[in-house]
Each structure stands twice: as structure tokens, then as C-alpha cells.
């Protein structure tokens, strides 16, 4: 079956994704890589409320970029705020510093 969507069962959940995958320019590719690298590094640190917030914001931004090809400015502003609040991470984790640089901090 091609181009169809269906679900079977009382708790089934059907999702349909038709169309093309967004294409990314070099800057967007670098941003996605920075999101992923920082999330990987965060998983290796001691979890705190701030690191959990940052990880969630990174996941949301990555999801938005992979779906639409870009991230909303308000989402990027939130990431800047979280990175500012986690200033110690930007000095310890190279990936945090890289992302901060890509976000113009």
C-alpha cells in the first residue's frame, strides 16, 4: 500500500506524513548538529531542573527544525535564555559554547 493512512484496533493512532522533507541550508545543518551534540552531552551531566529544561527546549527546537526547516525566533530566544542561565555549562561543555555561538550569544 502506498500513500495511504490507516489504523487498526481500539487504541490505534494513525499518523500521516505526506510531502517532502524540508531541505536545510548549511547554517541550519550546523544548528541541528549543535542541538544534538548538546543533548548528548547533557545526558552525561548530573541532571538538574535547569538541564532538564534545556534538554526539553533543545528537543522541541530540533523537532521544529526537522519538521519545518527552521525554528521560530521565540524558541531560539528561549534557548538563549536557558544557556545564559546555565552559563557554567557553556564554559564546561564545548557543545554548549558552540550552540551559544551559533545563537549569536
Amino acid at each position: 500500500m502506498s500513500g495511504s493512512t490507516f489504523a487498526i484496533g481500539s487504541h490505534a493512532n494513525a499518523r500521516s506524513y505526506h510531502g517532502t522533507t524540508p531541505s536545510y541550508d548549511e547554517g541550519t545543518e550546523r544548528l541541528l548538529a549543535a542541538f544534538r551534540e548538546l543533548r548528548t552531552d547533557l545526558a552525561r551531566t548530573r541532571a538538574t531542573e535547569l538541564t532538564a529544561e534545556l534538554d526539553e527546549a533543545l528537543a522541541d527546537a530540533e523537532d521544529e527544525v526537522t519538521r519545518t526547516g527552521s525554528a521560530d525566533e521565540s524558541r531560539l530566544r528561549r534557548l538563549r535564555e536557558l544557556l545564559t542561565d546555565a552559563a557554567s555549562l557553556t564554559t564546561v561543555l564545548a557543545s554548549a559554547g558552540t550552540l551559544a555561538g551559533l545563537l549569536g550569544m
Side-chain angles (χ1 to χ4, degrees):
M1 188 175 302
S2 175
S4 299
T5 304
F6 62 94
I8 300 172
S10 63
H11 299 303
N13 184 5
R15 294 176 189 240
S16 224
Y17 300 99
H18 300 282
T20 60
T21 304
S23 60
Y24 312 120
D25 61 19
E26 185 180 327
T28 303
E29 287 286 349
R30 288 189 353 236
L31 193 59
L32 276 171
F35 291 161
R36 292 171 181 148
E37 186 177 352
L38 181 51
R39 289 193 72 211
T40 298
D41 286 347
L42 284 175
R44 292 179 234 174
T45 65
R46 185 176 56 85
T48 65
E49 186 177 321
L50 182 57
T51 60
E53 276 186 81
L54 182 54
D55 183 62
E56 183 178 341
L58 288 164
D60 290 346
E62 180 182 346
D63 179 61
E64 183 176 11
V65 171
T66 56
R67 283 184 298 104
T68 68
S70 65
D72 183 70
E73 183 56 37
S74 64
R75 189 173 306 282
L76 296 177
R77 184 174 34 256
R78 177 69 179 138
L79 281 172
R80 286 184 199 100
E81 291 168 0
L82 288 168
L83 285 170
T84 298
D85 292 346
S88 61
L89 283 177
T90 59
T91 59
V92 175
L93 297 176
S95 58
T98 298
L99 181 56
L102 288 171
L103 294 175
M105 296 177 64

